[in-house]
Amino acid sequence: MNFDENEPQSVRDERFAAERAERREARKVASLDSRGAHVGAAIVTIALVLLGWYGKLVALGVVSGVFLLWFAAALAWAYADGDHGRHALQRAYSVTFGWGDGV
């Protein structure tokens, strides 16, 4: 998003809107790699099972609630971005658990 200081604000806004639309379309057609998200989801699942196994119900509720809210926010963001259906769910899943790539 480069801009020229001398260009009018209306021209700059139109160009920025066009660039955002291009990036949005590129995001929609791009395939999502879920390997890292699967690793993150597996780690969270194991942690939740262990918390339940050892009777730490408050911690179980807090951790599962955080991830549920995180997923809901990511799904709402995907829908607000104009993405619907399966691709929106995949994007929300990748946003929520994609940190598994770094493990």
Side-chain angles (χ1 to χ4, degrees), residues 36-102:
H38 293 326
V39 171
I43 291 170
V44 169
T45 301
I46 291 169
L48 292 175
V49 167
L50 290 174
L51 286 172
W53 183 271
Y54 289 111
K56 306 294 184 185
L57 299 181
V58 173
L60 175 67
V62 169
V63 172
S64 60
V66 165
F67 279 99
L68 179 65
L69 288 175
W70 191 355
F71 182 80
L75 187 60
W77 175 69
Y79 272 98
D81 196 31
D83 215 354
H84 299 288
R86 177 182 227 158
H87 198 262
L89 289 171
Q90 288 174 338
R91 279 181 60 192
Y93 179 72
S94 292
V95 167
T96 305
F97 299 108
W99 51 266
D101 272 335

